[in-house]
Amino acid sequence: MNFVFLSPNFPEAYRWFCIRLRENGVNVLGVGDAPYDYLHPDLKRALTEYYRVDSLEDYDQVLRALGYYTGQYGKIDWVESNNEYWLELDAALRTDFNITTGLKSDQIARYKSKLAMKEFYRKAGLPCARCAPVTTLENGLSFAHEVGYPVIVKPDNGVGAIATYKLKSDEEMRAFFQELPPVLYLMEEYVPGVVTTYDGVCNSKGDVLFAASHITRNSIMDMVNEGVPTYYYVDKEVPADVEAAGRATLKAFQASSRFFHLEFFRLTADKPGLGRTGDIVALEVNMRPAGGFTPDMLNFSQSADVYQIWADMVAFDEVRHTYDGPHSYCIYAGRRDENNYVLTLPQLEARCGGHARLFTRMPDALAGTMGNQVAIACFDTLEEVDAFVHSAFQLENEA
């Protein structure tokens, strides 16, 4: 099996996808824009060959890379990046090389367009926020007056909460339209809720091979735009209603042979037309792993190896390893360099003791959303999670 992995060096932890593929007997071929000498030694050993391009944005160069690999190794069986930014590139290459193990260009819109997702969520029987394309100021004001302020505006094709804003009045609406970016924007009614996810891997038949759930109490949008503390945790088990919503969503989207990251709201207040407090409401679909160090957190929480599970899906269409260790709450705290915390990162790690799992730096490209300093720990109770969050984010002027 010939597997082309795009940008195998970023994020750095993605080398484990390549390592596990190689261990499963897959011929792993890398294409990226980083110099070969910059690759992690373990990644170099996992790759049969690495083809460097000046830029992955240059489709002709990437096309030539796959043409070269086809000439050297025969037909390409898989192309994948597991990266939201390159999903359309993945699909274009599959289309041009007739690779059938993933989405092609005419199928990718339902996973990239937030507006297109709405119809599939409805097919899954899940409520979702009312939404309209942003066209004119008059239409924007009309929509806001219909659903009520605040309203959320965000790119139709975007990652996470980047370039996403909450508008609270007609004045803010007018100011937004004065600086409207030249991309398709959507306007949605505000949903009061906590983001709850369904993350995992499904095989070619859509069967879920592994699933877990993580919860983000603070608004992701506020993390990005206002710098509020960035933290979330992987739950010990997947709640039954999240499991049901996740499986219904995968079926509606006809998802197969994918890592998936599905986002829902759990309502924190009654919302007419959507549900009552505690109900699950659809948010967004992402057909790739959750960002940052979340795959590692899934491993820590569930005593699993999601890199291996994904590689087993690719090579065998089933999981050939067992994972029956203990489950725990795995908490992520992303701290920002500009803040003066009571505890330094090494001091916080020392305080965690045996609960500490990963304390490191976030790559600059992801730090705007995720914070600069990474602190990940596992605990048995939510009370311990709350205590860790307090210690992680306590500022010197608050002590």
Side-chain angles (χ1 to χ4, degrees), residues 140-221:
L141 290 171
S142 176
F143 179 83
H145 294 165
E146 176 187 350
V147 304
Y149 284 110
V151 295
I152 306 301
V153 289
K154 57 187 178 182
D156 181 52
N157 185 344
V159 180
I162 296 173
T164 298
Y165 308 101
K166 183 192 295 182
L167 307 181
K168 303 175 184 177
S169 65
D170 286 356
E171 290 71 24
E172 291 186 5
M173 179 74 72
R174 293 188 179 94
F176 172 76
F177 269 88
Q178 288 177 354
E179 300 182 4
L180 180 63
V183 297
L184 177 60
Y185 255 76
L186 303 179
M187 191 169 296
E188 284 189 346
E189 65 178 317
Y190 175 75
V191 178
V194 171
V195 174
T196 302
T197 73
Y198 188 63
D199 296 271
V201 178
C202 62
N203 67 9
S204 65
K205 297 181 286 292
D207 299 330
V208 176
L209 303 181
F210 167 85
S213 176
H214 70 261
I215 297 167
T216 306
R217 290 176 178 169
N218 281 347
S219 162
I220 300 173
M221 179 174 54

Coordinates of all heavy atoms in Angstrom, one line a residue, residues 140-221:
G140 N -28.5 41.9 7.1 CA -27.9 41.6 8.4 C -28.7 42.1 9.5 O -29.0 41.4 10.5
L141 N -29.2 43.4 9.4 CA -30.0 44.0 10.5 C -31.3 43.3 10.6 O -31.8 43.0 11.7 CB -30.2 45.5 10.2 CG -29.0 46.4 10.3 CD1 -29.3 47.8 9.8 CD2 -28.6 46.5 11.8
S142 N -31.9 42.9 9.4 CA -33.2 42.2 9.4 C -33.0 40.8 10.1 O -33.9 40.4 10.9 CB -33.6 42.0 8.0 OG -34.8 41.2 7.9
F143 N -31.9 40.1 9.8 CA -31.7 38.8 10.5 C -31.5 39.0 12.0 O -32.1 38.2 12.8 CB -30.5 38.1 9.9 CG -30.1 36.8 10.5 CD1 -30.8 35.6 10.0 CD2 -29.2 36.7 11.5 CE1 -30.5 34.4 10.6 CE2 -28.9 35.4 12.1 CZ -29.6 34.3 11.6
A144 N -30.7 39.9 12.4 CA -30.5 40.1 13.8 C -31.8 40.5 14.5 O -32.0 40.1 15.7 CB -29.5 41.2 14.0
H145 N -32.6 41.3 13.9 CA -33.9 41.7 14.6 C -34.9 40.5 14.6 O -35.7 40.5 15.5 CB -34.5 42.9 13.8 CG -33.7 44.1 13.9 ND1 -33.9 45.2 13.0 CD2 -32.7 44.5 14.6 CE1 -33.1 46.2 13.3 NE2 -32.3 45.7 14.3
E146 N -34.7 39.6 13.7 CA -35.6 38.4 13.7 C -35.2 37.4 14.8 O -36.0 36.9 15.6 CB -35.5 37.7 12.4 CG -36.3 36.4 12.3 CD -36.1 35.6 11.0 OE1 -35.5 36.1 10.1 OE2 -36.5 34.4 11.0
V147 N -33.9 37.2 15.0 CA -33.4 36.2 15.9 C -33.0 36.8 17.3 O -32.9 36.1 18.3 CB -32.3 35.3 15.4 CG1 -32.6 34.7 14.1 CG2 -31.0 36.2 15.2
G148 N -32.7 38.1 17.3 CA -32.3 38.8 18.5 C -30.8 38.8 18.6 O -30.1 37.9 18.2
Y149 N -30.3 39.9 19.2 CA -28.9 40.0 19.5 C -28.6 39.2 20.8 O -29.5 39.0 21.6 CB -28.5 41.4 19.7 CG -28.3 42.2 18.5 CD1 -29.3 43.2 18.2 CD2 -27.3 42.0 17.6 CE1 -29.2 44.0 17.0 CE2 -27.2 42.7 16.4 CZ -28.1 43.7 16.1 OH -28.0 44.4 15.0
P150 N -27.3 38.7 21.0 CA -26.2 38.8 20.0 C -26.4 37.8 18.8 O -27.1 36.8 18.9 CB -25.0 38.4 20.8 CG -25.5 37.5 21.9 CD -26.9 38.0 22.2
V151 N -25.7 38.1 17.7 CA -25.5 37.2 16.6 C -24.1 36.9 16.4 O -23.2 37.7 16.7 CB -26.2 37.7 15.3 CG1 -27.7 37.8 15.5 CG2 -25.6 39.0 14.9
I152 N -23.8 35.7 15.8 CA -22.4 35.3 15.5 C -22.2 35.5 14.0 O -23.0 35.0 13.2 CB -22.2 33.9 16.0 CG1 -22.6 33.7 17.4 CG2 -20.7 33.5 15.7 CD1 -21.8 34.6 18.4
V153 N -21.0 36.1 13.6 CA -20.6 36.1 12.2 C -19.3 35.4 12.1 O -18.4 35.6 12.9 CB -20.5 37.6 11.7 CG1 -21.9 38.2 11.6 CG2 -19.6 38.4 12.6
K154 N -19.2 34.6 11.1 CA -18.0 33.7 10.9 C -17.9 33.4 9.4 O -18.8 33.3 8.7 CB -18.1 32.5 11.8 CG -19.3 31.6 11.6 CD -19.3 30.5 12.6 CE -20.5 29.6 12.5 NZ -20.6 28.6 13.5
P155 N -16.6 33.0 9.0 CA -16.4 32.6 7.6 C -17.1 31.3 7.4 O -17.2 30.4 8.2 CB -14.9 32.4 7.5 CG -14.3 33.2 8.7 CD -15.4 33.1 9.8
D156 N -17.7 31.2 6.2 CA -18.3 29.9 5.8 C -17.3 28.8 5.7 O -17.6 27.6 6.1 CB -19.0 30.0 4.4 CG -19.7 28.8 4.0 OD1 -20.5 28.2 4.8 OD2 -19.5 28.3 2.9
N157 N -16.1 29.1 5.3 CA -15.0 28.1 5.3 C -13.9 28.6 6.2 O -13.1 29.4 5.8 CB -14.6 27.9 3.8 CG -13.5 26.8 3.7 OD1 -12.9 26.4 4.6 ND2 -13.3 26.4 2.4
G158 N -13.9 28.1 7.4 CA -12.9 28.6 8.3 C -12.5 27.5 9.4 O -13.2 26.5 9.5
V159 N -11.5 27.7 10.1 CA -11.0 26.8 11.1 C -11.2 27.3 12.5 O -10.8 28.4 12.8 CB -9.5 26.5 10.9 CG1 -9.0 25.5 11.9 CG2 -9.2 26.0 9.5
G160 N -11.9 26.5 13.3 CA -12.1 26.9 14.7 C -12.9 28.2 14.8 O -13.9 28.4 14.1
A161 N -12.5 29.1 15.7 CA -13.2 30.4 15.9 C -12.4 31.5 15.3 O -12.6 32.7 15.7 CB -13.4 30.6 17.4
I162 N -11.4 31.3 14.4 CA -10.6 32.3 13.8 C -11.5 33.2 12.9 O -12.4 32.7 12.2 CB -9.5 31.8 12.9 CG1 -8.5 31.0 13.8 CG2 -8.7 32.8 12.2 CD1 -7.4 30.2 13.1
A163 N -11.4 34.5 13.1 CA -12.2 35.5 12.3 C -13.7 35.4 12.6 O -14.5 35.6 11.8 CB -11.9 35.4 10.9
T164 N -14.0 35.0 13.8 CA -15.4 34.8 14.3 C -15.7 35.8 15.3 O -14.9 36.0 16.3 CB -15.7 33.4 14.8 OG1 -15.4 32.4 13.8 CG2 -17.1 33.2 15.3
Y165 N -16.9 36.5 15.2 CA -17.2 37.6 16.1 C -18.6 37.5 16.6 O -19.5 37.0 16.0 CB -17.0 38.9 15.4 CG -15.6 39.0 14.8 CD1 -15.5 38.8 13.4 CD2 -14.5 39.3 15.5 CE1 -14.3 38.9 12.8 CE2 -13.2 39.4 14.9 CZ -13.1 39.2 13.5 OH -11.9 39.2 12.9
K166 N -18.8 38.1 17.8 CA -20.2 38.2 18.4 C -20.6 39.7 18.3 O -19.9 40.6 18.8 CB -20.2 37.8 19.8 CG -21.5 37.9 20.5 CD -21.4 37.7 22.0 CE -20.9 36.4 22.4 NZ -20.9 36.2 23.9
L167 N -21.7 40.0 17.6 CA -22.2 41.3 17.4 C -23.4 41.5 18.3 O -24.3 40.7 18.4 CB -22.7 41.6 16.0 CG -21.6 41.3 14.9 CD1 -22.2 41.6 13.5 CD2 -20.3 42.0 15.1
K168 N -23.4 42.6 19.1 CA -24.4 42.8 20.2 C -25.4 43.9 19.9 O -26.3 44.1 20.7 CB -23.6 43.0 21.5 CG -22.6 41.9 21.9 CD -21.9 42.3 23.1 CE -20.8 41.3 23.5 NZ -20.0 41.6 24.6
S169 N -25.2 44.6 18.8 CA -26.1 45.8 18.6 C -26.1 46.2 17.1 O -25.2 45.7 16.4 CB -25.6 47.0 19.5 OG -24.4 47.4 19.0
D170 N -27.0 47.0 16.8 CA -27.0 47.6 15.4 C -25.7 48.3 15.1 O -25.2 48.3 14.0 CB -28.2 48.5 15.2 CG -29.5 47.8 15.1 OD1 -29.5 46.5 15.1 OD2 -30.6 48.4 15.0
E171 N -25.2 49.0 16.1 CA -24.0 49.8 15.9 C -22.8 48.8 15.5 O -22.0 49.1 14.6 CB -23.6 50.6 17.1 CG -24.6 51.8 17.4 CD -26.0 51.3 17.8 OE1 -26.1 50.2 18.4 OE2 -26.9 52.1 17.6
E172 N -22.7 47.7 16.3 CA -21.6 46.8 16.0 C -21.9 46.1 14.6 O -20.9 45.8 13.9 CB -21.5 45.7 17.1 CG -21.0 46.3 18.4 CD -20.8 45.2 19.5 OE1 -21.0 44.0 19.2 OE2 -20.5 45.6 20.6
M173 N -23.1 45.9 14.3 CA -23.4 45.3 12.9 C -22.9 46.3 11.9 O -22.3 45.9 10.9 CB -24.9 45.1 12.8 CG -25.4 44.5 11.5 SD -25.0 42.8 11.3 CE -26.2 42.1 12.4
R174 N -23.2 47.6 12.0 CA -22.8 48.5 11.0 C -21.2 48.6 10.9 O -20.7 48.7 9.8 CB -23.4 49.9 11.3 CG -24.9 50.0 11.2 CD -25.4 51.4 11.3 NE -26.8 51.5 11.1 CZ -27.7 51.4 12.1 NH1 -27.2 51.3 13.4 NH2 -29.0 51.5 11.9
A175 N -20.6 48.5 12.1 CA -19.1 48.6 12.1 C -18.5 47.4 11.4 O -17.5 47.4 10.7 CB -18.6 48.7 13.5
F176 N -19.2 46.2 11.6 CA -18.7 45.0 11.0 C -18.8 45.1 9.4 O -17.8 44.7 8.7 CB -19.5 43.8 11.5 CG -19.2 42.5 10.7 CD1 -18.0 41.8 11.0 CD2 -20.1 42.0 9.7 CE1 -17.7 40.6 10.3 CE2 -19.8 40.9 9.0 CZ -18.6 40.2 9.3
F177 N -19.9 45.6 8.9 CA -20.0 45.7 7.5 C -19.1 46.7 6.9 O -18.7 46.6 5.7 CB -21.5 46.0 7.1 CG -22.3 44.8 6.9 CD1 -23.0 44.2 8.0 CD2 -22.5 44.3 5.7 CE1 -23.8 43.1 7.8 CE2 -23.3 43.1 5.5 CZ -23.9 42.5 6.5
Q178 N -18.6 47.7 7.6 CA -17.7 48.6 7.1 C -16.3 48.0 6.8 O -15.5 48.5 6.0 CB -17.5 49.8 8.1 CG -18.7 50.7 8.1 CD -18.6 51.9 9.1 OE1 -17.6 51.9 9.9 NE2 -19.5 52.8 9.2
E179 N -16.0 46.9 7.6 CA -14.7 46.2 7.4 C -14.9 44.8 7.0 O -14.1 43.9 7.4 CB -13.9 46.3 8.7 CG -13.6 47.8 9.1 CD -12.8 47.9 10.3 OE1 -12.3 46.8 10.8 OE2 -12.5 49.0 10.8
L180 N -16.0 44.4 6.3 CA -16.3 43.1 5.9 C -15.2 42.5 5.0 O -14.9 43.0 4.0 CB -17.6 43.0 5.2 CG -18.1 41.6 4.7 CD1 -18.4 40.7 5.9 CD2 -19.4 41.8 3.9
P181 N -14.6 41.4 5.5 CA -13.5 40.8 4.6 C -14.1 40.2 3.3 O -15.3 39.9 3.2 CB -13.0 39.6 5.5 CG -13.5 40.0 6.9 CD -14.8 40.7 6.7
P182 N -13.2 40.1 2.3 CA -13.7 39.6 1.0 C -13.9 38.1 0.9 O -13.4 37.5 0.0 CB -12.6 40.1 0.0 CG -11.4 40.1 0.9 CD -11.8 40.4 2.3
V183 N -14.5 37.5 1.8 CA -14.8 36.1 1.8 C -16.3 35.9 2.2 O -16.9 36.8 2.8 CB -13.9 35.3 2.8 CG1 -12.5 35.4 2.3 CG2 -14.1 35.7 4.2
L184 N -16.9 34.7 1.9 CA -18.2 34.5 2.3 C -18.4 34.4 3.8 O -17.7 33.5 4.4 CB -18.8 33.2 1.6 CG -20.2 32.8 2.0 CD1 -21.2 33.9 1.6 CD2 -20.6 31.5 1.3
Y185 N -19.2 35.2 4.4 CA -19.4 35.2 5.8 C -20.9 34.7 6.1 O -21.8 34.9 5.2 CB -19.2 36.5 6.4 CG -18.0 36.7 7.2 CD1 -16.7 36.8 6.6 CD2 -18.0 36.7 8.6 CE1 -15.6 37.0 7.3 CE2 -16.8 36.8 9.3 CZ -15.6 36.9 8.7 OH -14.4 37.0 9.4
L186 N -21.1 34.0 7.2 CA -22.4 33.6 7.6 C -22.7 34.3 8.9 O -21.9 34.7 9.7 CB -22.4 32.1 7.9 CG -22.0 31.2 6.7 CD1 -22.1 29.7 7.2 CD2 -22.9 31.4 5.5
M187 N -24.0 34.5 9.2 CA -24.6 35.1 10.4 C -25.5 34.0 11.0 O -26.3 33.4 10.4 CB -25.3 36.3 10.1 CG -25.7 37.2 11.3 SD -26.3 38.8 10.7 CE -24.8 39.5 10.0
E188 N -25.2 33.8 12.3 CA -26.0 32.7 13.0 C -26.6 33.3 14.3 O -26.0 34.3 14.9 CB -25.1 31.6 13.4 CG -24.8 30.6 12.3 CD -24.1 29.4 12.9 OE1 -23.6 29.4 14.0 OE2 -24.0 28.4 12.1
E189 N -27.7 32.8 14.7 CA -28.3 33.1 16.0 C -27.3 32.6 17.1 O -26.7 31.6 16.9 CB -29.7 32.6 16.2 CG -29.8 31.1 16.3 CD -31.2 30.6 16.5 OE1 -31.9 31.2 17.3 OE2 -31.6 29.7 15.8
Y190 N -27.3 33.3 18.2 CA -26.4 32.9 19.3 C -27.0 31.7 20.0 O -28.2 31.7 20.3 CB -26.2 34.1 20.3 CG -25.4 33.8 21.5 CD1 -24.1 33.6 21.5 CD2 -26.1 33.6 22.7 CE1 -23.3 33.3 22.6 CE2 -25.4 33.3 23.9 CZ -24.0 33.1 23.8 OH -23.3 32.8 24.9
V191 N -26.2 30.8 20.4 CA -26.6 29.6 21.1 C -25.9 29.5 22.5 O -24.7 29.5 22.5 CB -26.3 28.3 20.3 CG1 -26.8 27.1 21.1 CG2 -27.0 28.3 19.0
P192 N -26.7 29.6 23.6 CA -26.1 29.5 24.9 C -25.7 28.1 25.2 O -26.6 27.2 25.4 CB -27.2 30.1 25.8 CG -28.4 29.7 25.1 CD -28.2 29.8 23.6
G193 N -24.5 27.7 25.2 CA -24.1 26.3 25.4 C -22.6 26.1 25.7 O -21.8 27.0 25.5
V194 N -22.3 24.9 26.1 CA -21.0 24.5 26.3 C -20.6 23.5 25.1 O -21.4 22.6 24.8 CB -20.8 23.7 27.6 CG1 -19.5 23.0 27.7 CG2 -21.1 24.6 28.8
V195 N -19.5 23.8 24.5 CA -19.1 22.9 23.4 C -18.7 21.6 23.8 O -17.8 21.4 24.7 CB -17.9 23.6 22.6 CG1 -17.5 22.6 21.4 CG2 -18.4 24.9 21.9
T196 N -19.3 20.6 23.3 CA -19.1 19.2 23.6 C -18.8 18.4 22.3 O -19.6 18.6 21.3 CB -20.3 18.5 24.3 OG1 -20.6 19.3 25.5 CG2 -20.0 17.1 24.7
T197 N -17.8 17.6 22.2 CA -17.4 17.0 21.0 C -17.6 15.5 21.0 O -17.8 14.8 22.0 CB -15.9 17.3 20.7 OG1 -15.1 16.5 21.5 CG2 -15.6 18.7 20.8
Y198 N -17.5 14.9 19.8 CA -17.5 13.5 19.5 C -16.3 13.3 18.6 O -16.4 13.6 17.4 CB -18.8 13.0 18.9 CG -19.0 11.5 18.8 CD1 -19.0 10.7 19.9 CD2 -19.1 10.9 17.5 CE1 -19.2 9.3 19.8 CE2 -19.3 9.5 17.4 CZ -19.3 8.8 18.5 OH -19.5 7.4 18.4
D199 N -15.3 12.7 19.1 CA -14.0 12.5 18.4 C -13.7 11.1 18.2 O -13.9 10.3 19.2 CB -12.8 13.2 19.2 CG -13.0 14.7 19.3 OD1 -12.5 15.4 18.4 OD2 -13.6 15.1 20.3
G200 N -13.2 10.7 17.1 CA -12.8 9.3 16.9 C -12.4 8.9 15.5 O -12.1 9.8 14.7
V201 N -12.5 7.6 15.2 CA -12.1 7.1 14.0 C -13.2 6.1 13.5 O -13.7 5.3 14.3 CB -10.8 6.3 14.1 CG1 -10.4 5.7 12.8 CG2 -9.6 7.2 14.6
C202 N -13.6 6.2 12.2 CA -14.5 5.3 11.6 C -13.9 4.6 10.4 O -13.0 5.1 9.8 CB -15.8 5.9 11.2 SG -15.7 7.2 10.0
N203 N -14.4 3.4 10.1 CA -13.8 2.6 9.0 C -14.5 2.8 7.7 O -15.4 3.7 7.6 CB -13.7 1.1 9.4 CG -15.1 0.5 9.5 OD1 -16.1 1.1 9.2 ND2 -15.1 -0.8 10.0
S204 N -14.2 2.0 6.7 CA -14.8 2.2 5.4 C -16.3 2.0 5.3 O -17.0 2.5 4.4 CB -14.1 1.3 4.4 OG -14.4 0.0 4.6
K205 N -16.8 1.3 6.3 CA -18.3 1.1 6.4 C -19.0 2.1 7.3 O -20.2 2.0 7.5 CB -18.5 -0.4 6.9 CG -18.0 -1.4 5.9 CD -18.3 -2.8 6.5 CE -17.4 -3.2 7.6 NZ -16.0 -3.3 7.2
G206 N -18.2 3.0 7.8 CA -18.8 4.0 8.7 C -18.9 3.5 10.2 O -19.4 4.2 11.0
D207 N -18.4 2.3 10.5 CA -18.4 1.8 11.8 C -17.4 2.6 12.7 O -16.3 2.8 12.3 CB -18.0 0.3 11.9 CG -19.0 -0.5 11.1 OD1 -20.2 -0.2 11.0 OD2 -18.5 -1.6 10.5
V208 N -17.9 3.0 13.9 CA -17.0 3.7 14.8 C -16.0 2.7 15.5 O -16.5 1.8 16.2 CB -17.8 4.5 15.8 CG1 -16.9 5.2 16.9 CG2 -18.7 5.5 15.2
L209 N -14.7 2.9 15.3 CA -13.7 2.1 15.9 C -13.2 2.6 17.2 O -12.8 1.8 18.0 CB -12.5 2.0 14.9 CG -12.8 1.5 13.5 CD1 -11.5 1.4 12.7 CD2 -13.5 0.1 13.5
F210 N -13.3 3.9 17.4 CA -12.9 4.5 18.7 C -13.7 5.8 18.8 O -13.8 6.5 17.8 CB -11.4 4.8 18.7 CG -11.0 5.7 19.8 CD1 -10.7 5.1 21.0 CD2 -10.8 7.0 19.6 CE1 -10.3 6.0 22.1 CE2 -10.4 7.9 20.6 CZ -10.1 7.3 21.9
A211 N -14.1 6.2 20.0 CA -14.7 7.5 20.2 C -14.4 8.0 21.6 O -14.3 7.2 22.6 CB -16.2 7.4 19.9
A212 N -14.3 9.3 21.7 CA -14.2 10.0 23.0 C -14.8 11.3 22.9 O -15.3 11.7 21.8 CB -12.7 10.1 23.4
S213 N -14.9 12.1 24.0 CA -15.6 13.4 24.0 C -14.8 14.4 24.8 O -14.3 14.0 25.9 CB -17.0 13.2 24.5 OG -17.6 14.5 24.6
H214 N -14.7 15.6 24.3 CA -14.1 16.6 25.2 C -15.0 17.8 25.3 O -15.8 18.0 24.4 CB -12.6 17.0 24.8 CG -12.5 17.8 23.5 ND1 -12.2 17.2 22.3 CD2 -12.6 19.1 23.2 CE1 -12.1 18.1 21.3 NE2 -12.4 19.3 21.9
I215 N -14.8 18.5 26.4 CA -15.7 19.6 26.8 C -15.0 20.9 26.9 O -13.9 20.9 27.6 CB -16.5 19.2 28.1 CG1 -17.3 18.0 27.8 CG2 -17.3 20.4 28.6 CD1 -17.8 17.4 29.1
T216 N -15.5 22.0 26.4 CA -14.9 23.3 26.5 C -15.8 24.2 27.2 O -16.9 24.6 26.6 CB -14.5 23.9 25.1 OG1 -13.7 22.9 24.4 CG2 -13.8 25.2 25.2
R217 N -15.5 24.6 28.4 CA -16.5 25.4 29.2 C -16.5 26.9 28.7 O -17.5 27.5 28.6 CB -16.1 25.3 30.6 CG -16.4 24.0 31.3 CD -15.9 24.0 32.7 NE -16.2 22.7 33.4 CZ -15.7 22.4 34.5 NH1 -14.8 23.2 35.2 NH2 -15.9 21.2 35.1
N218 N -15.3 27.5 28.4 CA -15.2 28.8 28.0 C -15.5 28.9 26.5 O -15.3 27.9 25.7 CB -13.8 29.4 28.2 CG -13.7 29.9 29.6 OD1 -14.6 30.0 30.4 ND2 -12.4 30.2 30.0
S219 N -16.0 30.0 26.0 CA -16.3 30.1 24.5 C -15.0 30.1 23.8 O -14.0 30.9 24.1 CB -17.0 31.5 24.3 OG -16.9 31.9 23.0
I220 N -14.9 29.3 22.7 CA -13.7 29.3 21.9 C -13.5 30.6 21.2 O -12.4 31.1 21.1 CB -13.8 28.1 20.9 CG1 -14.0 26.8 21.6 CG2 -12.6 28.1 19.9 CD1 -14.2 25.6 20.6
M221 N -14.6 31.2 20.8 CA -14.5 32.6 20.2 C -13.9 33.6 21.2 O -13.0 34.4 20.8 CB -15.9 33.0 19.8 CG -16.0 34.4 19.2 SD -17.7 34.7 18.6 CE -18.6 34.4 20.1

